[in-house]
RNA sequence: GGGCCUCUAGCUCAGCUGGUUAGAGCGUGCCCCUGAUAAGGGCAAGGUCGGUGGUUCGAGUCCACCGAGGCCCA
């Protein structure tokens, strides 16, 4: 007789092979309305808001996006498990330079320029471009299983969003947080336009290289020596910068002149200029600070300033400073109250503010005149031509210059509720929880040091700075009512803010509006648009506050956003509402390759989420996200993916084993009450309870890699290697409805439910798939694991008494395994069932093992255990001796355990014979 | 060049306020099973904690410097 048919062998339709790429798309169909359903069913619960930072709507998603969105998804889904309601509205950032550039590039192919087609048409093209990628990315995010309100995302180019942004801007103007002042930007004097940093191209250019003497005011014949390749900026010179910690030497030459030059650069300057002399003293840069000098050819003086921007790689270590013509000069200048002086007009000609010999002259042509002037004054130390890399206009290929132009700024020192914006922002930083903790220092030092926020851009694709200028008196029109009025118009216009560029000022202003200062009724529109960081910085106002909530529970982005979105959002919110828009901010690191190097096309080490999804499935991608500590760089590569795939298999098979042994189990009628359960089943539930605690604390502390390690270890150690291995005998051999089997099935069912729920935030697809199989066991369960309301802790009671005993029994088991291995090696046995184990000694292990005398052989997966000294192969230690011999008797063909002849009834063991009898099966 | 951060077995991670022979899982090797089977089980070998120098009775754990890498700034 084939006894195999009388066993309760596992049965399941849950496939071993996941085939995720295909299966996941089916599950996605099921999830189509899931978010809505959850919102509906969980509507009474406490809300948790993770506010999405908007990715830029350009290109397909990359690993960084995937990492970010999966982390968010895990947190959202964990909150569902905790019994909260979530609100997750994904967003996109749509305006700005990269899209503008891409569209311009496309235009160029048709030999067109954006100037030729006009702002409105150009903006339309940008909008279409952004829209296309919003749709693409949306599909990609949905594909990786991100749960959210994908039907109603927030999009910064939506009229509604733009309207809110304009209102926010209005608040800033109303609170006097915005000022107009000058700042140097890249400027093309041929195209007469500002250019963004990302737009200029570096090319070789030949320029004069001159060393100039700046006479000290209070010390005769003593000169600061500066070096410059832009003599034309000398008329705008307002100071000299030095490095505070550098050493500067005073060189006295033959004719009595004293030159001040950085000591480290002395040799190179001497060599270049031919000056010679002896060092009469050397001082620190900070000792030079505040020294006053006379401008070489203009009747004014300047002083020496300390600067972190001075380097000793070239020049003299003393840097000529023109705050209107250099960004570093400007930054230092701001610090000391210097204006960004720039006596140069749109077309690159000197204005009336320049000395008379230069007025009206093109700056590049003026170089020679200035050099002549310096020679005339005997202040030119040396002159030559050099060729160096210099920024050029990307369209006309001519050199660009830095030129101070009027810009709008949010002033960090403006007052908000009695404090400066900066102080208030710093105060708010203290109130926010930063994860990891050092994130706080990072953003704090950035906010402490940051310059005023320049929010204007001289570009086409963005939200306009909706202010007017009175043509009569030049007054800036920035009344709140005007902003509200324009916001209304924008919100109700199909193309939103495009109306600003289409309509006349009269159409945009409230009817009959006159200049509050001069009563004039002719106005000019501001042409500038807003910095995209202001766009996304308003998202709390556009998304969170309309829900009636003041703060998001969490913002979660890459650590680069301490400078970007976190800061923009903080400043915008503090300026507008006096507080931070978030309670907590979590940051993650960046995706790097297996060597820890950053990914780049040229290195060829880029891996895309699409590749992983198509080859292995989104759950593999999701498992990867939690496999590493994301607060630092997170590595990915083929080897790492392989490892993740292995782990996935282990977890999947563990789930499968449980399912396959529950095919005849009805939890409502066949569960064994906890108190009556078999001790080993109580033990595994207790272990599960520990796992639940660890996993929940891992989730709560955002340490998902700990969740991963805990679950993986539980699956492979506690479950596969111990519990399943031991419990198989009870599951397979006993009568289907026996206590022995039902008790273990009760445990298995609890474990399956709990692990499925606990893993669902991570392995969302697989857990949903498992869930569908669990629902065949319990038909009362809700349709999705994400709608489940499983009280995981209740299903996994911790039992310390049992844990204590089993802690000891497990030690015994480990010892026995070693002895069995030795026996196997020596050929005594092959399968553990062929063994009889002898346990003796007066230690704790022996006494606990005796307590479980009738069961201990099953726990050790051997056929027989004797509590006496014996065995051919043995292990001995303090108070314990374990021996192994061949089991006595013969193997029962049904349960495979060895029994003595007298323990057989017919050709099966008495245990099996009894089971068969109860089952009504006749054996031989 | 500056600020912040990281560096423990082949891989991913533990290792609390400094204190016995540095742990886990995976992978690897060898073996077993064939009633989880393109599965399952067992045993074993692998680190002196990026490097150097300090503080200390004692350091992976504190300090300094160096190296590799990441983010931001320049």
């Amino acid at each position: 007789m084939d006894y195999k048919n009388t066993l309760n062998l596992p049965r399941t339709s849950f496939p071993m092979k996941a085939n995720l790429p295909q299966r996941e798309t089916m599950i996605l169909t099921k999830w189509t309305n899931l978010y809505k359903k959850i919102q509906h069913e969980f509507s009474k619960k406490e809300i948790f808001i993770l506010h999405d930072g908007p990715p830029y709507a350009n290109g397909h998603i990359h690993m960084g996006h995937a990492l970010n969105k999966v982390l968010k998804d895990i947190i959202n889904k964990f909150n569902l498990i905790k019994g909260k309601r979530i609100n997750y509205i994904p967003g996109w950032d749509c305006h700005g330079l990269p899209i503008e550039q891409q569209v311009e590039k496309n235009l160029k192919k048709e030999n067109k320029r954006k100037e030729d087609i006009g702002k409105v048409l150009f903006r339309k093209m940008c909008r279409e471009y952004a829209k296309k990628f919003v749709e693409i990315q949306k599909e990609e995010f949905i594909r990786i299983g991100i749960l959210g309100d994908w039907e109603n995302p927030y999009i910064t180019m939506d009229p509604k969003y733009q309207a809110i942004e304009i209102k926010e801007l209005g608040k800033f103007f109303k609170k006097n947080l915005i000022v107009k002042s000058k700042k140097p930007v890249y400027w093309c004097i041929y195209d007469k336009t500002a250019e963004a940093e990302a737009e200029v191209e570096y090319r070789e250019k030949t320029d004069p290289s001159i060393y100039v003497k700046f006479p000290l005011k209070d010390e005769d014949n003593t000169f600061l020596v500066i070096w410059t390749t832009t003599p034309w900026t000398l008329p705008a010179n307002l100071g000299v910068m030095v490095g505070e910690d550098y050493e500067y030497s005073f060189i006295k030459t033959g004719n009595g002149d004293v030159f001040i030059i950085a000591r480290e650069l002395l040799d190179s300057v001497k060599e270049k200029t031919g000056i010679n002399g002896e060092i009469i003293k050397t001082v620190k840069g900070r000792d030079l600070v505040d020294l006053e000098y006379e401008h070489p050819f203009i009747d004014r003086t300047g002083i020496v300033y300390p600067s972190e921007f001075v380097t000793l790689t070239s020049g003299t270590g003393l840097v000529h400073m023109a705050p209107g013509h250099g960004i570093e000069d400007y930054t230092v200048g701001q610090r000391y109250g210097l204006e960004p002086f720039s006596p140069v007009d749109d077309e690159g000609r000197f204005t009336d503010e320049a000395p008379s010999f230069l007025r009206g002259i093109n700056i590049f042509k003026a170089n020679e005149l200035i050099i002549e002037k310096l020679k005339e004054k005997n202040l030119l130390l040396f002159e030559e031509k050099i060729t160096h890399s210099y920024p050029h206009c990307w369209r006309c290929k001519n050199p660009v210059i830095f030129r101070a132009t009027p810009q709008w700024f949010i002033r960090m020192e403006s007052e908000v509720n009695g404090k400066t914006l900066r102080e208030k922002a710093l105060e708010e930083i203290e109130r926010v929880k930063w994860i990891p903790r050092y994130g706080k220092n990072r953003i704090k030092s950035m906010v402490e040091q940051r310059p005023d926020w320049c929010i204007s851009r001289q570009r086409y694709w963005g939200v306009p700075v909706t202010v007017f200028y009175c043509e009569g008196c030049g007054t800036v029109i920035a009344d709140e009512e005007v902003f509200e009025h324009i916001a209304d118009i924008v919100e109700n216009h199909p193309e939103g803010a495009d109306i600003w560029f289409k309509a006349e000022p009269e159409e945009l202003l409230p009817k009959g509006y006159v200049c509050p200062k001069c009563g004039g009724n002719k106005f000019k529109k501001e042409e500038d648009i807003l910095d995209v960081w202001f766009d996304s910085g308003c998202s709390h106002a556009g998304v969170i506050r309309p829900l009636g909530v003041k703060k998001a529970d969490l913002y979660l982005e890459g650590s680069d956003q301490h400078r970007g979105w976190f800061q923009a959002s903080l400043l915008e919110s503090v300026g507008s509402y006096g507080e931070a828009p978030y309670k907590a901010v979590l940051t993650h690191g960046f995706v790097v390759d297996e060597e820890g190097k950053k990914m780049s096309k040229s290195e060829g080490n880029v891996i895309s989420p699409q590749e992983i999804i198509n080859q292995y499935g989104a759950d593999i991608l999701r498992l990867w996200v939690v496999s590493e500590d994301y607060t630092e760089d997170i590595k990915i590569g083929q080897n790492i993916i392989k490892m993740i795939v292995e782990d996935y298999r282990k977890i999947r098979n563990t789930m499968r084993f449980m399912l396959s042994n529950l095919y005849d189990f009805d939890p409502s009628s066949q569960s064994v009450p906890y108190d009556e359960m078999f001790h080993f089943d109580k033990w595994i539930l207790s272990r599960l309870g520990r796992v639940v605690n660890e996993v929940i604390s891992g989730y709560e502390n955002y340490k998902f890699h700990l969740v991963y390690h805990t679950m993986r270890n539980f699956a492979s150690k506690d479950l596969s290697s111990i519990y399943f291995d031991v419990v198989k005998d009870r599951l397979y051999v006993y009568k289907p409805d026996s206590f022995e089997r039902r008790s273990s099935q009760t445990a298995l069912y609890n474990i399956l439910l709990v692990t499925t729920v606990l893993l669902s935030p991570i392995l969302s697809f697989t857990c949903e798939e498992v869930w569908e199989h669990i629902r065949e066991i319990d038909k009362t369960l809700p349709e999705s694991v994400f709608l489940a309301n499983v009280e995981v802790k209740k299903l996994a009671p911790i039992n310390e008494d049992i844990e204590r005993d089993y802690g000891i029994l497990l030690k015994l088991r480990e010892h026995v395994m070693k002895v069995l291995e030795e026996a196997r090696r020596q050929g005594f046995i092959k399968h553990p069932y062929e063994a009889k184990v002898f346990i003796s000694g007066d230690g704790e292990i022996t006494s606990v093992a005796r307590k479980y005398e009738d069961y201990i052989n099953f726990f050790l997966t051997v056929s027989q255990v004797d509590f006496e000294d014996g065995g051919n192969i043995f292990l001995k230690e303090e108070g314990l001796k374990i021996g192994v011999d061949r089991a006595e008797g013969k193997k029962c063909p049904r349960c495979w355990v060895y029994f003595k002849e007298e323990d057989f009834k017919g050709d099966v063991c008495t245990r099996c014979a009894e089971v068969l009898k109860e089952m009504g099966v006749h054996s031989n």
Side-chain angles (χ1 to χ4, degrees), chain A residues 470-669:
Chain A
C470 171
E471 288 202 357
C473 64
T475 299
V476 174
I477 307 298
D479 300 351
E480 197 175 20
E481 62 163 319
V482 174
F483 277 103
E484 295 284 335
H485 184 74
I486 294 161
D488 272 356
I489 293 174
V490 166
E491 185 167 359
N492 293 304
H493 185 73
E495 274 83 45
D498 282 20
I499 188 74
W500 179 261
F501 302 97
K502 281 187 210 164
E504 294 303 317
E506 298 73 47
E507 304 172 74
L508 295 164
L509 281 160
K511 224 176 187 173
Y513 190 87
V514 293
C515 173
K517 199 166 172 195
C518 73
N521 62 359
K522 287 272 175 224
F523 301 94
K524 226 171 64 193
K525 290 180 290 184
E526 170 63 86
E527 293 288 319
D528 290 357
I529 60 164
L530 284 161
D531 176 14
V532 287
W533 287 115
F534 194 82
D535 287 16
S536 59
C538 287
S539 64
H540 62 94
V543 183
I544 304 300
R545 295 183 195 273
L547 300 170
V549 174
K550 284 185 176 174
K551 290 186 180 201
D553 290 285
L554 186 67
Y555 276 37
L556 194 180
E557 307 297 331
S559 59
D560 55 336
Q561 299 303 333
H562 285 121
R563 177 159 297 272
W565 190 53
F566 300 146
Q567 202 177 133
S569 300
L570 176 72
L571 295 176
E572 209 288 329
S573 182
V574 167
S576 210
Y577 301 90
E579 60 179 5
Y582 37 67
K583 292 180 194 160
V585 174
L586 176 60
T587 51
H588 61 251
F590 283 72
V591 181
V592 295
D593 72 9
E594 284 179 322
E595 262 75 58
K597 300 262 171 69
K598 79 166 125 200
M599 289 190 175
S600 74
K601 277 182 195 152
S602 56
E603 289 287 324
N605 57 358
V606 179
I607 291 183
S608 73
Q610 293 79 11
E611 278 173 62
I612 295 177
I613 292 162
N614 293 337
Q615 199 180 344
Y616 304 103
D619 266 1
I620 298 300
L621 181 76
R622 300 176 66 100
L623 196 56
W624 162 74
V625 167
V626 296
S627 72
E628 297 178 49
D629 179 353
Y630 61 81
T631 56
E632 287 310 317
D633 305 329
I634 148 162
K635 296 180 186 173
I636 194 159
Q638 290 309 324
N639 295 320
I640 288 175
I641 295 168
K642 254 183 233 158
M643 190 185 80
I644 300 295
V645 170
E646 297 275 348
D647 286 334
Y648 174 82
R649 277 206 201 105
K650 185 73 197 183
I651 293 169
R652 185 177 179 89
N653 278 324
T654 303
M655 303 285 226
R656 183 169 181 271
F657 181 84
M658 291 190 274
L659 278 172
S660 68
N661 283 293
L662 290 166
Y663 58 89
D664 65 338
F665 182 68
D666 174 14
S668 64
S669 63

Side-chain angles (χ1 to χ4, degrees), chain A residues 299-347:
Chain A
D299 185 19
R300 65 165 182 253
T301 62
I303 62 169
V304 175
Y305 300 93
S307 162
E308 67 274 30
F309 302 114
V310 176
T311 63
L312 298 179
T313 48
S314 59
T316 63
L318 293 118
V319 178
H320 140 61
M321 175 182 176
H325 292 296
I327 196 69
E328 296 170 352
D329 314 43
Y330 168 79
T331 306
V332 175
Q334 285 291 295
R335 211 174 285 158
Y336 299 100
L338 296 178
E339 62 159 328
F341 177 54
S342 169
V344 175
D345 70 13
D346 280 9
E347 297 179 53

Side-chain angles (χ1 to χ4, degrees), chain A residues 276-431:
Chain A
N276 227 323
E278 52 170 328
I279 299 175
I280 52 175
K281 65 171 171 176
T282 296
V283 301
K284 285 274 188 189
R286 61 171 52 85
D287 301 321
L288 299 175
V289 169
D290 285 340
L291 280 181
E292 198 173 6
Y293 67 88
E294 286 164 12
H295 191 283
F297 52 84
I298 298 171
D299 185 19
R300 65 165 182 253
T301 62
I303 62 169
V304 175
Y305 300 93
S307 162
E308 67 274 30
F309 302 114
V310 176
T311 63
L312 298 179
T313 48
S314 59
T316 63
L318 293 118
V319 178
H320 140 61
M321 175 182 176
H325 292 296
I327 196 69
E328 296 170 352
D329 314 43
Y330 168 79
T331 306
V332 175
Q334 285 291 295
R335 211 174 285 158
Y336 299 100
L338 296 178
E339 62 159 328
F341 177 54
S342 169
V344 175
D345 70 13
D346 280 9
E347 297 179 53
R349 288 176 309 215
F350 280 107
T351 64
D352 290 350
E353 288 179 301
S356 54
F357 78 100
L358 293 171
R359 284 172 201 163
I361 308 273
N362 172 288
I363 50 162
F364 292 123
K365 289 185 180 138
N367 277 342
E368 280 311 308
L369 296 175
I370 290 165
I371 290 169
E372 280 312 307
K373 178 64 87 182
L374 291 170
K375 278 185 188 160
E376 194 183 307
K377 301 250 179 190
N378 193 25
L379 292 172
L380 185 72
L381 200 54
F382 180 72
E383 168 201 9
E384 65 174 343
K385 295 277 183 206
I386 63 156
T387 301
H388 60 159
S389 172
Y390 186 89
H392 287 67
C393 174
W394 70 290
R395 47 183 114 195
C396 73
K397 312 300 180 195
N398 284 305
V400 295
I401 62 169
F402 256 116
R403 173 173 172 266
T405 51
Q407 303 288 349
W408 291 104
F409 289 89
I410 291 176
R411 268 197 66 219
M412 294 302 293
E413 318 311 327
S414 308
E415 289 226 342
V416 192
N417 309 335
K419 298 215 169 86
T420 68
L421 177 59
R422 193 189 307 275
E423 284 166 352
K424 192 71 197 151
L426 288 168
E427 233 177 71
E428 282 299 301
I429 286 172
E430 294 298 327
R431 298 177 56 197

Side-chain angles (χ1 to χ4, degrees), chain A residues 17-28:
Chain A
K17 189 169 180 341
N19 213 341
L20 290 175
Q22 281 77 12
R23 202 178 306 278
E24 284 174 347
T25 52
M26 284 157 61
I27 293 170
L28 284 170

Side-chain angles (χ1 to χ4, degrees), chain A residues 97-124:
Chain A
L97 189 66
I99 288 176
E100 203 166 305
Q101 270 184 309
Q102 201 53 50
V103 172
E104 274 192 275
K105 223 187 252 174
N106 296 344
L107 274 176
K108 220 174 172 182
K109 287 180 200 152
E110 303 167 38
N111 269 321
K112 285 185 192 156
R113 287 159 45 117
K114 65 176 177 183
E115 287 80 0
D116 304 333
I117 65 169
K119 283 188 182 175
V120 174
L121 182 56
F122 184 78
R123 287 173 61 96
K124 184 168 179 257

Side-chain angles (χ1 to χ4, degrees), chain A residues 750-770:
Chain A
N750 285 12
I751 298 163
L752 181 62
L753 261 186
V754 171
T755 51
T756 304
V757 168
L758 289 184
L759 281 172
S760 65
I762 297 164
L763 295 174
S764 298
F765 291 93
T766 304
C767 289
E768 187 74 320
E769 185 191 350
V770 172

